[in-house]
Amino acid sequence: MAAVSVFPSQRELGAALARLVTEAAAEAVASSGRFTLGLSGGSLVALLARELPPALSAAPGADPSRWLVAFCDERLVPPEHPESTGGAYRSQVFSQLPPPGPQVLSVSPELGPAAAARDYEEQLRKAFPGPAVPQFDLLLLGLGPDGHTCSLFPGHALLQEQHSLVGFLEDSPKPPPRRVTMTLPLLNSARRVLLVAAGASKAPVLKVWGEILGIWAKSGIWGEIGGVGVKIWDFRVKFWEFWGEILGILGLNLGFLG
């Protein structure tokens, strides 16, 4: 069953998140020789920049040179732009890791939305030969005050995508408007997902998540809802005024940091 752990500060949340990533990496490297990780941007970058390097230095079995890293979504801006997720991770997180560092799959913003999405999906399929839908060991997803995750926004047509692994937007409700994002079929195939949110602005949507999952999360603070060993089958959510019908999370081992 799911459990709730509450953290009184972002620092403690970040330390717990870094520990979870490090433990997952060590387990995957030991069992399969590599760790596949999907990263989201926003406040996650600062949390990981502060806490992940020291956690990794204390866990040699989590060897980041054995990691394959992809981005769960990306804004189509140059890598040096402050809105670039890949640029932020390279300058703030990967630069702190010992060389050679992880293998990183990147979105090419210069291609334009449709071509960038196709190119990124091709990269993912080459990196995961065999399965029809790649299966990441761990995805770290953020959560917006409106309930959006990745660049999957309330009521957007991409929520209905069932075939492509990667979609694109030219009309994002949140700037910048042009983006590339993993779709629900890819998110739903992951072995484990941690959905991360911090701050009082996320309290309303956390409350809805808690009610839907039968878990009463405390609002305005940080916590973790972990679905260790739990499958949530055919799970569809009504997010009231935040969403229309969204995130059919099918067969997902769900972890929730809120």
Side-chain angles (χ1 to χ4, degrees):
M1 61 182 295
V4 179
S5 301
V6 174
F7 303 98
S9 70
Q10 288 201 45
R11 181 169 292 277
E12 289 171 85
L13 169 62
L17 179 62
R19 184 182 68 252
L20 289 170
V21 173
T22 301
E23 290 172 352
E27 180 180 345
V29 169
S31 63
S32 68
R34 77 168 183 173
F35 174 52
T36 54
L37 174 66
L39 294 171
S40 299
S43 60
L44 272 172
V45 182
L47 287 172
L48 292 173
R50 184 176 61 239
E51 303 294 346
L52 186 59
L56 285 172
S57 67
D63 183 1
S65 70
R66 300 291 191 90
W67 293 18
L68 173 73
V69 174
F71 301 112
C72 298
D73 69 325
E74 180 61 280
R75 293 88 173 232
L76 296 186
V77 295
E80 65 275 10
H81 193 284
E83 291 283 354
S84 170
T85 296
Y89 273 104
R90 285 183 176 83
S91 63
Q92 298 180 45
V93 181
F94 302 155
S95 61
Q96 298 189 64
L97 303 182
Q103 177 187 355
V104 180
L105 305 183
S106 299
V107 175
S108 300
E110 70 277 5
L111 296 178
R118 287 194 300 270
D119 176 74
Y120 196 46
E121 180 161 339
E122 289 174 6
Q123 291 185 56
L124 287 167
R125 291 193 181 280
K126 288 178 181 177
F128 291 85
V133 180
Q135 187 175 52
F136 280 85
D137 294 311
L138 179 64
L139 297 179
L140 301 186
L141 306 183
L143 183 70
D146 62 353
H148 83 267
T149 191
C150 299
S151 286
L152 298 172
F153 289 90
H156 198 279
L158 276 179
L159 296 173
Q160 308 306 319
E161 178 58 56
Q162 295 298 316
H163 302 292
S164 296
L165 304 180
V166 179
F168 67 92
L169 301 83
E170 297 181 281
D171 57 351
S172 169
K174 180 180 179 181
R178 304 199 317 162
R179 298 167 177 240
V180 163
T181 184
M182 292 183 180
T183 60
L184 290 177
L186 183 53
L187 300 185
N188 292 338
S189 73
R191 291 186 176 90
R192 189 177 186 187
V193 172
L194 294 176
L195 188 58
V196 181
S201 67
K202 312 296 175 63
V205 74
L206 292 183
K207 182 175 184 292
V208 175
W209 269 94
E211 290 171 346
I212 290 166
L213 295 175
I215 301 162
W216 294 94
K218 296 181 180 180
S219 63
I221 55 179
W222 296 270
E224 174 186 352
I225 300 174
V228 180
V230 174
K231 295 281 187 182
I232 301 177
W233 297 100
D234 298 323
F235 184 65
R236 291 192 177 273
V237 180
K238 291 281 187 180
F239 271 90
W240 305 342
E241 67 269 25
F242 302 107
W243 290 69
E245 184 175 352
I246 59 161
L247 292 182
I249 304 178
L250 309 177
L252 183 64
N253 280 315
L254 180 66
F256 189 85
L257 288 175

